[in-house]
Amino acid sequence: MTGTAWAATVDGVVKEYIKETKVITLEDGKSFTVPPDVAIPPEVAVGAKVSISTADDDATKVTGVTLSP
């Protein structure tokens, strides 16, 4: 039997975004370091609503960042 990795998603509002290090901190205190190969929409800024996708087997591994409506 083989397992399939599913992505988990965390939704939140950006409290802090450090563009140079690609670190996004949400208002709930969760912080994510986005790897160099994952794009961050240019509209991401303090106060923006975002969805951060992480690997199901590793909640610290960011696989995507998108803006939420």
Side-chain angles (χ1 to χ4, degrees):
M1 207 159 106
T2 60
T4 302
W6 296 94
T9 302
V10 176
D11 295 319
V13 176
V14 177
K15 177 180 178 182
E16 181 180 26
Y17 171 45
I18 304 171
K19 192 172 187 177
E20 296 77 22
T21 56
K22 296 182 80 171
V23 174
I24 298 172
T25 302
L26 302 179
E27 287 184 343
D28 66 2
K30 293 178 184 167
S31 185
F32 300 89
T33 301
V34 182
D37 62 329
V38 175
I40 297 175
E43 300 85 4
V44 170
V46 172
K49 293 180 182 179
V50 294
S51 291
I52 298 176
S53 299
T54 61
D56 190 45
D57 60 343
D58 183 356
T60 64
K61 183 178 180 186
V62 175
T63 58
V65 178
T66 58
L67 292 174
S68 297

